[in-house]
Every structure is written in structure tokens, then in C-alpha cells.
Amino acid sequence: MVDPGSAEPSEEVSGSDGDAGDTSLDAAEEARDQRRQRLAKLDALRAEGIDPYPVRFDTSDTAGGLRREFATLEAGSNTDHRVRIAGRVLLLRRQGKLSFATLADRDGSIQLFVSQKAIGEADHDAFDRLDRGDWVGIEGTVMTTRRGELSVNVERFTLLAKA
């Protein structure tokens, strides 16, 4: 920056010299850093004895099928309908002892409601270590949140493939 009372530049440095190449270098470094983090998570899973790519997970329902079947379920309702669904994690929201995720399969998407009280602290921590793009198998019951969002109340989950 130039001080208005002087022709000399000040000591401040702007974070970029205007070179467009800096942006692509930053993006490339960010991508490499994300890859390193994900590989470290893979190594940590293997160190815990968890296979990050198990062979099979049988399902009973699809997200779209649940949406059609329970379209009229009132807000704040719980059912006894047990489901096994599998899909890719699209979105994760962590809120202390509750976590929410959006799971997408071949037929649609559905919210996952994950309570530490229901699955235990260790499994809840493991769920919170998932990344967007991971493939998971879910076991639980159908419910709606107080806001009326159709969800699966997760009782167990299995990592099917790490992103």
C-alpha cells in the first residue's frame, strides 16, 4: 500500500501479487491436503481393525421407497418399522450428541438421525468421523423429526466404502 503522504510503499503485504496461477496452486495444494487427510483416516480405520471396504450389506428398503411409504407420517412420530438401507453420505451435520446426515441411494435420499444415546458414545464418535462421499449401511427405524423431516433413527451403521 502506498501512504498518501509518501511515494514509498508501506510495509503491508497483500496476500497475492495478482498472479492468477496462485489460485490454482492453492486449490491443488488443498486437494492434496484433503487426500492426505482421507488416507490418514483409512490408515486409522485399518489400525482399529475395521475393513474400510467390506464385501456385502443386504438392504430391506430404499430411501425413495421409504419416502413413498411414510409420506403422511406426522411430525415427531416414531414407528416400529425396521429398515436396512445403504447409500452415500451427501451431507453431515454434527450437533454434540446428535448428528444428522443425508444418505442417497439409487432411489432417492433420506435423513439419518444419529443419537449418541441410541448407538453409544464410541459408535457416535465413529459416525462423526465419516466424510461426505463415504458409503454406509444403516440399520434403524423410521421416524420423523419434530420439524417433520422423514428420517431413519440409526441404531447401527457399517462403513461400506471410504471416499
Side-chain angles (χ1 to χ4, degrees):
M1 295 184 88
V2 176
D3 180 18
S6 156
E8 298 282 325
S10 70
E11 295 290 318
E12 291 181 39
V13 177
S14 70
S16 170
D17 63 2
D19 183 8
D22 288 348
T23 304
S24 64
L25 288 176
D26 291 343
E29 182 57 38
E30 186 176 321
R32 283 191 295 274
D33 185 50
Q34 185 178 44
R35 180 173 168 74
R36 282 191 293 270
Q37 289 176 14
R38 293 207 174 184
L39 288 172
K41 286 183 177 184
L42 261 177
D43 291 341
L45 287 170
R46 288 181 174 128
E48 292 176 26
I50 298 171
D51 180 2
Y53 305 104
V55 178
R56 183 181 182 105
F57 185 87
D58 293 321
T59 62
S60 63
D61 296 274
T62 64
L66 292 174
R67 286 204 171 278
R68 288 185 293 277
E69 185 176 348
F70 293 96
T72 60
L73 192 61
E74 291 183 26
S77 298
N78 290 302
T79 71
D80 292 330
H81 184 81
R82 300 196 55 73
V83 298
R84 287 175 56 93
I85 61 172
R88 192 166 210 171
V89 176
L90 297 183
L91 181 67
L92 288 163
R93 296 174 305 281
R94 298 166 181 99
Q95 299 175 352
K97 295 181 181 186
L98 283 180
S99 297
F100 298 90
T102 301
L103 180 122
D105 64 12
R106 69 184 181 275
D107 197 27
S109 64
I110 194 161
Q111 178 173 269
L112 304 178
F113 179 88
V114 186
S115 166
Q116 181 176 313
K117 183 178 178 182
I119 67 172
E121 186 174 351
D123 285 342
H124 189 259
D125 289 344
F127 188 88
D128 279 351
R129 287 193 304 268
L130 292 175
D131 292 307
R132 283 185 2 205
D134 288 350
W135 290 83
V136 293
I138 301 296
E139 297 177 56
T141 56
V142 176
M143 62 168 283
T144 55
T145 63
R146 286 180 285 175
R147 293 183 177 189
E149 180 68 29
L150 184 64
S151 305
V152 174
N153 187 3
V154 176
E155 296 171 358
R156 270 183 289 220
F157 77 96
T158 303
L159 176 66
L160 301 178
K162 192 75 181 135

